[in-house]
Amino acid sequence: MIDYHVHTSLCNHATGSMEQYVRAAITKGLTTICFLDHLTFQEVGRYNAMFPWEVPMYVNAARRLDRQYRDQISVRVGLEIDFSPAHVDRCREVVNAFDLDVVGSSVHFLDGEDVVTRQSAWGCGERNADEIYAKYLDVMESMLDYDYFDVVCHFDLPKKYSRHPSAFAVDGFLNLLEKIGAKNLAVELNTSGLSYPVREAFPSPPLLDRCAQLRIPVVTGSDAHSPETVGRDFDKARDLLKEAGYRYLTGFSHRQRESVAL
Ligand SMILES: [Zn+2]
Ligand SMILES: [Zn+2]
């Protein structure tokens, strides 16, 4: 299996050295690990992400580890970029300036409100679910108008604290998948959801089924913020993918796709 979503301490909310992540992946029998640490240009998330000037050091560290552990595992490197319409030009600049293997894009903030932490109003169980989902779908939809990225990360993230999308929001997600399929982008099967209150991977099994019908490539990611969580619940991920009809996973090298047997 391959883990294309692990963080580093550069984002200020993950623990362990990059080498510890690589060693954990080897212990778990993974064939590829890809760092996909946070980069954001939004004020609200600035301190929970690396700074743009840290990107070269981060890329070099991953390349060094790839050479060092070449006989045991492939080490790749990419970025998880927070989508913000106001900063798309800067995203493009960073993406084009470095030799990255993959670029993921995600939405954690809605009008400056973090919907991912327990401390947020949404995380505390406040706010109207349909309103939050409508906003999230709207931002995701506009993200899909741009082309600086290869993978859509944790597709149905707002359900993290167990507030599932209503039928209206599920329709919205299905529409987004059509657009993702038409744009030939990949979707991430992110297993971190299995450890959150929702106890379900991102995307949900019905949405993953739709990905398979639309032949959308899927890449697996643990979203590990500590070495112990690298490759977490990947046995379940394999089952989910097989049930949806997948026979191959998708990896990335220098932003070119490659197939990996499941
Ligand atoms: Zn994070
Ligand atoms: Zn994320």
Side-chain angles (χ1 to χ4, degrees):
M1 292 288 279
I2 56 177
D3 190 341
Y4 266 75
H5 194 155
V6 306
H7 291 276
T8 78
S9 54
L10 286 172
C11 70
N12 301 318
H13 63 281
T15 57
S17 69
M18 288 172 79
E19 185 163 11
Q20 284 173 321
Y21 284 83
V22 172
R23 284 171 175 268
I26 293 168
T27 305
K28 294 231 167 162
L30 303 183
T31 54
T32 304
I33 181 174
C34 181
F35 292 99
L36 199 77
D37 210 3
H38 297 284
L39 182 69
T40 182
F41 295 102
Q42 301 184 56
E43 193 51 37
V44 62
R46 261 184 83 202
Y47 297 101
N48 275 322
M50 73 175 82
F51 293 110
W53 59 85
E54 291 175 311
V55 177
M57 176 193 73
Y58 160 74
V59 172
N60 287 338
R63 297 294 181 215
R64 243 191 334 268
L65 286 166
D66 183 49
R67 288 193 292 277
Q68 190 180 337
Y69 287 95
R70 174 158 287 167
D71 297 341
Q72 297 169 78
I73 195 165
S74 288
V75 179
R76 307 261 165 96
V77 63
L79 289 167
E80 178 187 7
I81 298 183
D82 267 307
F83 170 65
S84 141
H87 301 99
V88 170
D89 288 344
R90 295 196 64 196
C91 294
R92 281 205 195 99
E93 266 171 44
V94 169
V95 162
N96 293 331
F98 301 101
D99 177 24
L100 300 168
D101 289 308
V102 62
V103 177
S105 194
S106 52
V107 174
H108 303 105
F109 310 105
L110 301 177
D111 289 338
E113 181 185 350
D114 187 336
V115 288
V116 185
T117 65
R118 234 331 168 200
Q119 288 78 35
S120 66
W122 175 249
C124 291
E126 297 160 21
R127 308 295 304 270
N128 177 284
D130 274 348
E131 266 174 41
I132 289 288
Y133 275 105
K135 244 186 193 180
Y136 180 81
L137 289 163
D138 223 45
V139 181
M140 288 283 274
E141 168 107 49
S142 61
M143 179 177 98
L144 294 175
D145 288 335
Y146 299 96
D147 53 7
Y148 62 85
F149 58 98
D150 313 298
V151 181
V152 178
C153 297
H154 41 61
F155 184 61
D156 51 353
L157 182 66
K159 72 181 180 185
K160 180 173 175 182
Y161 297 111
S162 261
R163 292 167 80 189
H164 290 268
S166 63
F168 130 82
V170 171
D171 277 351
F173 282 118
L174 290 169
N175 287 336
L176 288 183
L177 287 180
E178 301 280 338
K179 197 161 170 179
I180 287 170
K183 290 205 69 168
N184 197 21
L185 289 164
V187 163
E188 168 191 76
L189 179 62
N190 184 313
T191 55
S192 70
L194 291 160
S195 304
Y196 294 134
V198 69
R199 302 271 167 217
E200 186 179 86
F202 309 107
S204 65
L207 293 175
L208 189 63
D209 285 345
R210 188 65 188 136
C211 288
Q213 286 163 7
L214 293 167
R215 300 185 177 281
I216 294 172
V218 168
V219 55
T220 38
S222 64
D223 216 337
H225 285 70
S226 64
E228 308 83 71
T229 45
V230 170
R232 70 180 137 182
D233 288 321
F234 272 19
D235 45 343
K236 287 181 192 149
R238 184 187 275 124
D239 291 347
L240 286 166
L241 286 162
K242 286 194 166 164
E243 277 160 30
Y246 281 95
R247 294 290 167 265
Y248 291 91
L249 288 169
T250 296
F252 296 85
S253 176
H254 305 287
R255 305 198 64 195
Q256 299 295 310
R257 276 188 206 153
E258 57 190 26
S259 281
V260 181
L262 191 54

